[in-house]
Amino acid sequence: MIVRGRERRRDLRLDVDAAVVGSGAGGAMMARELSARGLRVALLEMGGHHRPADFTAVEADMLEELFQERGARATRDLSVRVLQGRGVGGSTVHNTCLCKRAPAELLARWKREHAVSGASPAELDPAYAATEQELGVRELGPDDLNRNNALFRRGVEALGYRGGFLHHNRAGCRGAGYCELGCPFDAKQNALKVLVPAALEHGAWVVSDARVERVETRRGRARGVSGSLLDALGRPHARFEVDARVVCLAASAVGSAALHARSGLPDPSGLAGTTLRLHPGGVVAGLFDEEVVGWRGVPQSYECTEFLSFAEDAAKRRVWLVPVFAHPIGTAVQLSGFGAAHGELMRRYRHVAAVTAMVHDTTRGRVRVEASGRIRIDYWPNHDDRAQLALGLREGARILLAAGARRVLVPFEPDPLWIDDAAGLAAIDAAAIRRHRLPLTAVHPMGTLPLGDDPARAVVDSRGEHHAVGGLFVCDGSLFPTSLGVPPQLSIYSFARHLAPHVAAAC
Amino acid sequence: MGWTRRQVLKGLGGLLAAGSALGLGAATVAGEAAPSGLRLLGATEARILRAAAERLLAGTPLDEAALAEVLRWIDGYLRRQGEPLRTEVRGLLWGLELSAPLFGEGWARFSRRDADSRDAVLRAWSTSRFALFRQGYAGLKGLVLMAGYRQPAFLRSIGYDGPPHG
């Protein structure tokens, strides 16, 4: 049953076995898994329930509709932009379909250092394999490379760096290139297209425009959730209450931690909301004589892993390099300066190829809730992470030069740093990366309600159940005790699938 | 060291209070009418925003109609946002209007300055040693660029051919 909260002006009350908060990769998978087992499920989503025809590919409109805080979410000092999904399907609606498994070395570390059990590569393999099959995950090939990615590959190969094609969950893709604004052609095999309809088929309630404001507990157990139904402008216009035997938090590493805080839930470890990882990224842009037209075609189809290792002795190689491109607003906001100089840079738009360097971060950020109710994110990368970021930007620039860029731009404020040859790369160092001087973006928040079997070092146990609140589970990226260092969507889907039997048993 | 959001508000609120004490009014100077179509921003706030947008978007196809659209869209965007952000943006505009003396740029209000002088104030904000101003610059720049680069004329000027239909 679909309930569109923006169209319903009456209060809503449901009695179910499981209330799932958030409908992205984790929530949609959990709702489908539980409902397929015959359980009564309510899947609650604060954003709208969209159809492919709603994805107009108009950047400003989609930023408002598909992203948290209408595209304006950022750390409290605006130094890191945080792009997170809003709407049924969550961030799987606007992501670029990247699918990578959690590295085996990292899972071994989680077991050793964070007392995570039951999550070895072998134990997770069935969930990963089933998810990959269900979502049509496949390795891309040369025919899938747009010009931006082809240039990147050329640079990586010219330097002899380790690189390869990425895996995506897309089928019937036309290569239009508007993935980050929602796919108008419904080619993404994501939570919205695959899992939510399956949950509906199994009888789940899918309630959109439903902002969960509180997890209700009684005698140390979760008993349901309550909140507001929102109108089309996001204003509360009715209430809802859901009585449930279990509650699953899947509102993202930011949203789930904020709901944990708003609900005043016990936190024996003191970790809830204090171990935020953002997998932050910076960008370098190469100017080419040829037209690149980087927004067209399949984005992010090739990677460079030369500087990313999860081995014990690889602390100095924690940066993942991948081509990136933004539509005009995203580009304009990232570019240096303002006025005529900025306008001149924008007029080179068709000739730009860009690379992002994302850091497998060790920084611990925080998610809190202000007295006004607004979510507050505190995060600025520590020195080691800034050094990794600088390494990544240097190497991204080197790759672009090797690919034939006439010049490479690092978008420092207020003036860009121009690099014309390898000798100029040394100017990018950790000291140059300061708040507001280099725009950073994060699209992979993780780790705010980490799992592990030691209640002193984790918020939830290895089955995903809260150490201090029975019947309360977490099934999104909040679970991860460290940064993944790779895009998390496949792992979030797969962890939810992996944990679902435990949740079902608690219902 | 970065300032907290509360400190930002207090700082900008202090500037606003100073403005009020100087008889500048809370949102609208007497006798000044807000541009038509704006429902949240007062006339003076609209004037400050317009003065900033003219400089931030210099070098683009910014004509009178495009500028009006920038203001109209930002006004609507703020109405769709929560109250804390609205308050902050209004404080930001007033801070911009009154901050020039802090940077040794003279006493004239931002919206009364010529183009070069407005650029100097914006640049001073972007390079300030205080995170408060750099944060304000980043927020204002983002808002104005978003309002500009959503307009078809801006998209055409950079050779962007999206969206794919419609």
Side-chain angles (χ1 to χ4, degrees):
Chain A
M1 168 77 75
I2 294 176
V3 176
R4 297 181 194 275
R6 65 183 63 182
E7 295 168 5
R8 181 188 173 96
R9 298 189 176 278
R10 290 175 292 121
D11 290 351
L12 175 69
R13 187 173 187 103
L14 297 174
D15 186 352
V16 296
D17 296 308
V20 181
V21 183
S23 65
M29 177 65 83
M30 184 60 75
R32 198 284 305 277
E33 287 291 298
L34 298 180
S35 58
R37 288 169 166 81
L39 297 166
R40 297 170 303 147
V41 175
L43 180 60
L44 304 157
E45 165 58 48
M46 77 178 292
H49 196 154
H50 303 103
R51 295 160 285 243
D54 297 327
F55 302 135
T56 61
V58 176
E59 188 183 15
D61 296 345
M62 294 296 97
L63 276 173
E64 283 209 57
E65 193 60 39
L66 300 182
F67 291 82
Q68 291 290 346
E69 300 179 37
R70 303 186 185 280
R73 176 166 283 179
T75 53
R76 65 171 178 166
D77 64 1
L78 305 185
S79 59
V80 185
R81 193 174 182 211
V82 183
L83 293 173
Q84 291 192 274
R86 184 176 186 274
V88 174
S91 292
T92 74
V93 171
H94 75 249
N95 70 20
T96 54
C97 298
L98 296 169
C99 291
K100 283 178 78 80
R101 292 190 181 196
E105 299 95 324
L106 193 69
L107 295 175
R109 197 178 133 208
W110 288 4
K111 180 178 183 179
R112 194 173 56 251
E113 297 178 10
H114 298 274
V116 175
S117 58
S120 67
E123 289 164 311
L124 287 172
D125 182 68
Y128 272 122
T131 303
E132 287 162 347
Q133 181 173 20
E134 181 171 35
L135 302 185
V137 176
R138 69 173 180 92
E139 184 177 17
L140 302 180
D143 292 343
D144 297 303
L145 294 181
N146 70 0
R147 195 64 192 143
N148 192 28
N149 282 266
L151 288 168
F152 179 76
R153 182 190 185 195
R154 185 161 87 188
V156 169
E157 290 182 348
L159 293 167
Y161 287 168
R162 187 172 65 225
F165 293 100
L166 284 155
H167 289 69
H168 282 202
N169 57 317
R170 60 178 75 230
C173 175
R174 301 186 187 190
Y178 297 87
C179 313
E180 293 163 39
L181 308 177
C183 181
F185 309 107
D186 209 18
K188 290 184 175 182
Q189 307 304 296
N190 59 13
L192 175 63
K193 181 180 180 183
V194 178
L195 298 175
V196 172
L200 285 163
E201 260 185 44
H202 292 301
W205 291 79
V206 177
V207 186
S208 61
D209 313 292
R211 184 177 66 200
V212 176
E213 292 157 356
R214 188 171 177 82
V215 175
E216 305 293 349
T217 61
R218 195 163 55 241
R219 289 194 286 276
R221 277 196 69 84
R223 292 298 181 193
V225 297
S226 60
S228 299
L229 296 178
L230 309 175
D231 68 14
L233 292 177
R235 299 171 302 201
H237 66 165
R239 297 285 300 168
F240 68 86
E241 291 181 12
V242 179
D243 294 325
R245 300 167 72 86
V246 305
V247 172
C248 297
L249 301 186
S252 87
V254 174
S256 292
L259 181 57
H260 191 284
R262 280 195 182 106
S263 304
L265 298 174
D267 179 23
S269 68
L271 289 175
T274 69
T275 51
L276 172 69
R277 266 73 182 204
L278 282 183
H279 201 206
V283 172
V284 288
L287 293 184
F288 287 79
D289 289 337
E290 65 173 286
E291 284 203 342
V292 179
V293 196
W295 66 90
R296 282 199 203 132
V298 178
Q300 300 195 312
S301 49
Y302 197 84
E303 65 177 342
C304 174
T305 53
E306 180 72 19
F307 304 95
L308 180 65
S309 172
F310 296 91
E312 285 298 306
D313 58 352
K316 298 303 178 190
R317 284 192 296 157
R318 294 189 285 111
V319 64
W320 184 59
L321 297 171
V322 66
V324 68
F325 210 84
H327 293 278
I329 291 171
T331 302
V333 171
Q334 292 264 330
L335 281 179
S336 313
F338 63 89
H342 183 276
E344 178 59 32
L345 291 176
M346 286 299 290
R347 282 191 288 278
R348 307 295 301 274
Y349 186 57
R350 294 177 72 91
H351 292 260
V352 169
V355 175
T356 184
M358 289 191 204
V359 176
H360 175 36
D361 50 336
T362 59
T363 303
R364 285 174 52 161
R366 291 193 71 161
V367 175
R368 285 183 269 194
V369 179
E370 297 179 341
S372 65
R374 183 167 60 176
I375 291 173
R376 180 172 123 181
I377 303 170
D378 296 284
Y379 185 99
W380 179 248
N382 61 33
H383 181 272
D384 285 351
D385 287 348
R386 294 200 303 279
Q388 288 297 307
L389 194 52
L391 166 67
L393 295 174
R394 278 197 304 275
E395 294 304 330
R398 196 189 309 276
I399 289 168
L400 288 167
L401 289 171
R406 184 166 290 278
R407 309 185 79 188
V408 174
L409 175 151
V410 187
F412 287 121
E413 284 285 5
D415 302 308
L417 170 67
W418 290 103
I419 297 172
D420 297 315
D421 52 40
L425 295 170
I428 312 173
D429 61 13
I433 297 172
R434 302 199 300 270
R435 288 179 202 264
H436 307 117
R437 178 145 164 71
L438 181 72
L440 300 182
T441 301
V443 292
H444 301 147
M446 303 175 237
T448 50
L449 302 169
L451 83 169
D453 290 329
D454 180 355
R457 292 188 292 150
V459 176
V460 302
D461 64 23
S462 293
R463 299 170 307 149
E465 188 169 16
H466 199 285
H467 278 299
V469 183
L472 177 61
F473 288 81
V474 175
C475 61
D476 61 18
S478 311
L479 285 169
F480 305 144
T482 67
S483 162
L484 274 187
V486 297
Q489 78 151 344
L490 182 65
S491 293
I492 296 172
Y493 280 124
S494 302
F495 261 83
R497 186 190 287 266
H498 176 69
L499 298 177
H502 303 302
V503 180
C507 285
Chain B
M1 181 174 171
W3 286 26
T4 65
R5 196 183 289 270
R6 185 178 299 274
Q7 286 171 313
V8 171
L9 276 171
K10 282 178 69 175
L12 294 174
L15 286 168
L16 175 55
S20 297
L22 290 169
L24 300 178
T28 304
V29 171
E32 187 174 16
S36 63
L38 303 190
R39 291 165 56 188
L40 181 78
L41 297 171
T44 312
E45 291 163 345
R47 177 160 49 79
I48 302 165
L49 179 58
R50 178 190 171 94
E54 282 175 348
R55 299 316 305 152
L56 290 167
L57 291 170
T60 67
L62 186 72
D63 57 17
E64 198 55 41
L67 190 52
E69 174 60 16
V70 166
L71 267 61
R72 190 202 62 76
W73 186 82
I74 291 175
D75 186 81
Y77 183 82
L78 293 175
R79 277 191 281 120
R80 295 188 291 277
Q81 294 280 3
E83 185 51 47
L85 186 70
R86 292 181 207 169
T87 305
E88 285 179 5
V89 171
R90 294 174 116 159
L92 167 63
L93 292 173
W94 277 99
L96 184 64
E97 178 76 337
L98 302 171
S99 66
L102 300 176
F103 301 103
E105 295 288 342
W107 289 92
R109 294 164 65 177
F110 180 81
S111 62
R112 305 293 190 204
R113 291 169 174 268
D114 64 22
D116 288 347
S117 180
R118 274 181 276 161
D119 286 356
V121 173
L122 287 167
R123 195 171 172 85
W125 275 52
S126 74
T127 57
S128 171
R129 60 187 287 263
F130 295 109
L132 161 69
F133 293 106
R134 299 196 308 272
Q135 177 179 337
Y137 166 78
L140 185 63
K141 174 182 168 181
L143 201 55
V144 170
L145 291 176
M146 194 168 172
Y149 281 96
R150 66 184 299 281
Q151 299 187 34
F154 282 66
L155 303 183
R156 284 194 298 273
S157 76
I158 61 171
Y160 180 73
D161 55 8
H165 55 81

